[in-house]
Amino acid sequence: PSLIENGQMSSGSLQPFVRKASIGLGSSWTVQWAALPPRETSPPPPSFSYATSCSVSGDTIYVAGTVHGGASMVQGDTQLPSQGGNDVWIASLDKNSGQVHWLTQLGSAGDEQLASHGGIVVNKQGNPLILGDTTGNMFRSRIPGGSDTTTDMFAMSLDANTGNPLDNNFLGRSASGGDGRPILDNFGDEFVEPAEEQPDDNFGNEPPEEQPEEQPDQQPDQQPDEQPD
């Protein structure tokens, strides 16, 4: 049964796809992904995911876009966890067959959006580089209680073989999976739902730990000097 028939997706959902159209005797193929809404309401609301950029490097095609409203991208039997709000997603495919190497969904507790034009390119090392904006903690910690509409720009590179972020300063979260593979986190380990992020200051520094108040040294009770009989 389809995702709509089994109640996981609304019929009003919008899903991304990529199609290779060949001229003459060349092969053509189409790959379409699903984006499942959060399982908090029944029936589920429509889910929206867009493919907005692509880049070709050798025999590999990279496709990227934005998935909205806490929805989770799906590759085969693997459902990637939403990182909160709107996330960015990236997929690596074989140019000739359309086989998906990996699919990554990344973001923060805020909203991320891929750049409308040139949102994904390939750098000199052969790794995909994505560009976009965020209202969350991607590469710096934003002031708690600040504006949710003011955005930061970001640029980050991903491992061409796994889809995992290569930037050590990445503060957000990501999950990557492919056909029959486990969901992996930023470091290539099996994904574990992280603990809630702790706020810090506007410069990426963790708030200082509260130090216990110092207590004055207590002297033992002094006994009066003994007097001779």
Side-chain angles (χ1 to χ4, degrees), residues 190-214:
E190 192 160 352
F191 183 85
V192 177
E193 188 66 29
E196 184 179 353
E197 294 181 2
Q198 297 298 321
D200 40 32
D201 64 18
N202 197 32
F203 302 97
N205 301 314
E206 295 184 358
E209 296 182 0
E210 294 185 2
Q211 300 294 331
E213 295 182 1
E214 295 185 359

Side-chain angles (χ1 to χ4, degrees), residues 48 54 61-62 68 104 106 112 128 147 166 174 178 197 210 219:
F48 300 95
C54 69
I61 296 177
Y62 296 103
H68 290 249
T104 292
L106 59 86
E112 283 71 44
S147 173
L166 293 175
S174 75
E197 294 181 2
E210 294 185 2
Q219 299 294 332

Side-chain angles (χ1 to χ4, degrees), residues 101-147:
H101 300 143
W102 48 258
L103 173 69
T104 292
Q105 181 170 343
L106 59 86
S108 68
D111 291 329
E112 283 71 44
Q113 179 171 290
L114 199 71
S116 301
H117 302 283
I120 185 167
V121 295
V122 179
N123 62 20
K124 293 181 179 180
Q125 290 72 37
N127 295 314
L129 177 71
I130 60 172
L131 311 169
D133 59 68
T134 177
T135 64
N137 301 333
M138 286 284 277
F139 287 94
R140 75 176 181 99
S141 295
R142 298 163 63 94
I143 299 176
S147 173

Side-chain angles (χ1 to χ4, degrees), residues 67 69-71 81-88 105-112 173:
V67 55
S82 169
Q83 313 304 335
N86 302 342
D87 290 342
V88 172
Q105 181 170 343
L106 59 86
S108 68
D111 291 329
E112 283 71 44
R173 303 193 299 262

